[in-house]
Amino acid sequence: MKRAAEHELKARLREVWMRTRSIIEERISVLESTVSTLQSAPLSADQRASGISAAHKLAGSLGMFGLNDASECARSIENALSLETPDSEELKQLLARLRTAVQAHKVATEA
Amino acid sequence: MGASTKTKPVKVLIADDDPIVRQVVRSILESASPFAIAGEAEDGSQACEMVVQTAPDILLLDLLMPNLPGLETLRQITAGDMGVHTILLCSAISDRQVLEALQLGARGVVLKSAVAELVPALQAVMAGRYWVRGRAVSNVVQIVQELAQEAQTSASPAKKFGLTPRELQVISLITQGSTNKDAANSLGITEETVKRHLTNIFDKVGMSNRLELAVFALEHGLIKR
């Protein structure tokens, strides 16, 4: 019975993942653009706010799909972007880890 | 009468600014009897309005939302005595926030990384219990006491000052006598980044130079002696 419930939950999550993966990709693109900007210039208030919002939403949604490490990375990015002077190198590393975890999930889920 | 009460759907209002979260919750609850989705709100203000309009049995409420944050939304809903049971659905929450939420009238807390708990949590709350830390509890006073005690005793010095793991690494190196350049080499970051970390650290702990920081770090257990 418990196994059936787990199977049902997994199927539901997969179905929502397939429907919403483009939103996840968009959020990662926002973070990539934010980090890329930060490497050459300070962020504007709008850029910072959209980066924080994308990271915050990724932290929540990726956790729901069971991507706990990626969710933690997103949370760390959200915290780092909230600092007065974010560390672009640290952000770059976190984002790479997040991207790798999402890619692995995509391969496993969409196969 | 008894049979109709048993089959009456439990109406759930989902309040979260992320459409993905709302879709996941909707998908899980639609497959689980006897739950029915009363509606979806995208921010705290809309959640308050929709509680009045749809009279849900359960409100699943995100902690961080635009317009009106989750705890403030909870405060308003509790003050309005609308007869809805609120469960916080959040990606992260501190014990202090759990405590505050329970004091404001929340009946449970479910982490987004633990969506498998969603249905059991709703069932527990509909049965008159609370759902905290992944389990159903009847004695909320005991939970509140536990949380209050832990909030007082478990806050680490780093958490107290809001220091990140990277900042703690920088503090440790500076306290050992490393120059900015040495610290940058040890951590694989630029000297400029070390300087920025130090500026942030000085702001957070209220110190103004490296010596003061080293003494402060030792006194407050930020590094091992």
Side-chain angles (χ1 to χ4, degrees), chain A residues 31-74:
Chain A
L31 290 183
E32 281 170 343
S33 155
T34 307
V35 173
S36 164
T37 304
L38 192 57
Q39 282 176 315
S40 54
L43 296 174
S44 69
D46 282 351
Q47 285 168 328
R48 186 188 291 262
S50 64
I52 289 173
S53 170
H56 175 72
K57 287 180 177 169
L58 279 170
S61 52
L62 293 176
M64 284 187 127
F65 292 115
L67 281 83
N68 294 335
D69 185 50
S71 170
E72 272 305 313
C73 287

Side-chain angles (χ1 to χ4, degrees), chain A residues 2 4 7 10 12-13 16 23-24 26 31-33 35 38 48 51 54-55 63 69 74 82 86 91-92 95 106 111:
Chain A
K2 198 179 169 192
H7 187 74
K10 213 172 162 183
R12 295 263 161 186
L13 289 174
V16 180
I23 305 176
I24 303 263
E26 278 166 30
L31 290 183
E32 281 170 343
S33 155
V35 173
L38 192 57
R48 186 188 291 262
D69 185 50
S82 305
L91 282 166
K92 209 171 140 188
L95 189 52
K106 266 179 84 173

Side-chain angles (χ1 to χ4, degrees), chain A residues 8-9 12-13 15-16 19-20 23-24 27 53 56-61 63-65 68 71 75 78-79 83-90 93, chain B residues 17-21 23-28 30-31 62 64 89 91-92 112-116 164 166-167 188-190 193 196-197 200 203-204:
Chain A
E8 169 73 20
L9 176 64
R12 295 263 161 186
L13 289 174
E15 187 250 328
V16 180
R19 235 185 307 135
T20 59
I23 305 176
I24 303 263
R27 290 174 185 168
S53 170
H56 175 72
K57 287 180 177 169
L58 279 170
S61 52
M64 284 187 127
F65 292 115
N68 294 335
S71 170
R75 198 180 333 283
E78 182 188 358
N79 291 338
L83 295 174
E84 200 178 326
T85 49
D87 179 350
S88 62
E89 281 307 308
E90 191 177 8
Q93 287 170 18
Chain B
D17 60 328
D18 185 349
I20 299 181
V21 172
Q23 286 192 50
V24 169
V25 173
R26 178 179 277 276
S27 177
I28 291 171
E30 278 177 347
S31 67
D62 185 20
L64 284 173
L89 180 64
S91 44
K112 287 175 184 171
S113 55
V115 280
T164 65
R166 180 64 103 192
E167 287 166 352
I189 56 180
T190 65
T193 301
R196 281 208 300 269
H197 279 307
N200 290 333
D203 283 349
K204 287 180 182 179

Side-chain angles (χ1 to χ4, degrees), chain B residues 31 46 55 85 94 106 132 139 167 172-173 181 195 209 215:
Chain B
S31 67
Q46 197 184 9
H85 294 320
S94 66
V132 185
N139 187 351
E167 287 166 352
S172 177
L173 289 166
K181 194 174 178 183
K195 283 182 194 166
N209 64 51
V215 174

